[in-house]
Amino acid sequence: MSDVEVIKDDKAWMARVDGHAAGQLAYRNSLDGSAVVLVHTEVGPEFEGRGVGSALVRAAVDDLAAHGRTVRPDCPFAAEWLRRHPDHPVTVQQRT
């Protein structure tokens, strides 16, 4: 598999593989500003099973951890990724 390139804009982390849009992880700030909410991970059908979703979540939580932000994984894929990587150094806030 080719490397997944992930870049962030003001609404999502975007994944590209070999110059092609491969997926995105949408986010927003929580209403009270205490966390960044990971809303939805979407991967193009032709890129499924190639680690694109995992690359998106990893890039997001790495970025947020580096900036001391708390993550609220409302997206089931992101929540499962975080459950499987409990050693990742990011503060996780559960949805109430």
Side-chain angles (χ1 to χ4, degrees), residues 9 12 19 28-29 31 34 44 50 55 59 62 67 71 76:
D9 70 15
R28 64 174 177 78
N29 286 315
L31 294 176
S34 65
R50 298 174 58 185
D62 284 351
H67 289 93
V71 174

Side-chain angles (χ1 to χ4, degrees), residues 4-5 7-8 15 18-22 25 27 29 31 33 39 49 51 56-57 63 65 68 77 79-81 86-87:
V4 179
E5 174 190 13
I7 57 171
K8 180 184 175 193
D18 295 329
H20 301 283
L25 171 54
Y27 73 93
N29 286 315
L31 294 176
V39 178
L56 284 163
V57 176
D63 181 39
F77 183 88
E80 179 62 16
W81 190 94
D87 57 329

Side-chain angles (χ1 to χ4, degrees), residues 3-5 14-23 46-47 52:
D3 289 335
V4 179
E5 174 190 13
M14 313 285 272
R16 296 186 70 74
V17 174
D18 295 329
H20 301 283
E46 64 274 26
F47 297 101
V52 173

Side-chain angles (χ1 to χ4, degrees), residues 25-88:
L25 171 54
Y27 73 93
R28 64 174 177 78
N29 286 315
S30 62
L31 294 176
D32 64 4
S34 65
V36 174
V37 181
L38 303 180
V39 178
H40 178 68
T41 304
E42 186 174 340
V43 175
E46 64 274 26
F47 297 101
E48 288 179 359
R50 298 174 58 185
V52 173
S54 292
L56 284 163
V57 176
R58 180 178 299 279
V61 297
D62 284 351
D63 181 39
L64 296 170
H67 289 93
R69 297 297 310 269
T70 296
V71 174
R72 190 177 89 200
D74 287 3
C75 166
F77 183 88
E80 179 62 16
W81 190 94
L82 285 161
R83 187 190 67 75
R84 290 182 182 201
H85 298 88
D87 57 329
H88 200 283

